[in-house]
Amino acid sequence: MKKTYVLDTNVLLHDPLSLFQFDEHDVVIPAIVLEELDGKKRNMDEVGRNARETARVLDQLRTTGKLHDGVPLENGGHLFVEIGHEHTVDFPFDVMTNDNRILTVALGLMKQYEHDRTRKVVVVSKDILVRVKADAIGIEAEDYLTDHIVDTTDRYAGYQEIEVDQAVIDEFYKVRQLPLSALTKNQLYPNSFVVLKSNVSKASAVAVVDALQPILRPLSLDVEHVWGIHPRNVQQRMALDLLLRDDIPFVTLLGKAGTGKTLLALAAGLSLVEDERRFNKLVVARPVVPMGNDIGYLPGEMEEKLRPWMQPIYDNLEFLFNANSKDELGNILAGIKSIQLEALTYIRGRSMPDQFIIIDEAQNLTKHEIKTILTRVGENSKIVLVGDPYQIDHPYLDEYSNGLTYAVERFKGQNVFGHVQLIKGERSSLARLAADLL
């Protein structure tokens, strides 16, 4: 059956190349979508960039024919810019909002094809309420799923628990390695972890997949504490192992609020910069994406403007430096020139060698932004992406399509990459319960 997909504005603002993702089917862009894109094109952020990129794509397609008559797409379908359906159909909603105008286009196309059983009209929107309203008036509606990286049930955790014979664990402790052929039924990636559990007792062992040989070996570092921080569970031990290793320049840490992601990364960074001097600078950055209503422009110089966004980092630094107040922490940081806190806004064009880089709240970054950040990493640098895919404040991202999830799925299996999903909350019993229940 030939389908006609009517695209909402948010689909194009999310992925300017979405026009080419519908195989041999037709794609329709309502005229009001062009108006909304025009209103976003001056934004100096990812949304504005995608609006401008969509405009360039449409301008290129315009050279192949008249958009209102339909121009061919490379996959076999056609692209149309649709005008004039608003007054040709009866619409049940009283207020003609931009979303409702998109739905009138879909209704008009359904009326046009009502005698053609080989045609189906589908609205594609990332706005849940648009899909709900479409369903209420009899229009088939879908989310834009092409860019979804992985289902949450298949998300790479960075470790596996495997039940083995007691003799296997005994041999691992004795020889301090285990061939992967002993675990042939399991797909294991380089630098991932394995928790070996005995099938007859409570004995267990934690191992890591060697990046160069097909073996399991013990964790490279027997970490008791780093900058005063003690790992409280096995996933935190795994995370510290990745954070402190020289041979892994790219690490990602996922986990719910309170699992210790940012604190562990900061402790490792401070240790490697201040104690061991393996890096010249510790750089900590966060995307400027508000939760809820933004409070608007902030007064002062850049450091003053940045302070509210970086407050979670300052909270962790106060704990690590055992500072009793903001002023005391300020005096400490003033004497340490190797620590730099900044926004991600101005990272394009930079090169960052010999630095330990932490990107906090990375789940609020798009795939394009993640690529921009990773391509800034210079020689002898290490970058750590930290985030919780279940707490996303970006209006056009979700747990399946954000840049952090994308990076994990694309890099798993690479020798330069390590990943751990932290499970147990350690902030407090209340925070742990809230993360699980709410």
Side-chain angles (χ1 to χ4, degrees), residues 109-121:
L109 290 170
M110 289 177 63
K111 181 179 179 181
Q112 179 180 329
Y113 300 137
E114 61 184 342
H115 300 299
D116 187 352
R117 297 194 176 185
T118 65
R119 284 274 186 175
K120 180 188 286 188
V121 177

Side-chain angles (χ1 to χ4, degrees), residues 16-27:
L17 299 181
S18 58
L19 299 170
F20 306 103
Q21 303 298 325
F22 295 95
D23 299 326
E24 72 279 8
H25 304 291
D26 292 340
V27 176

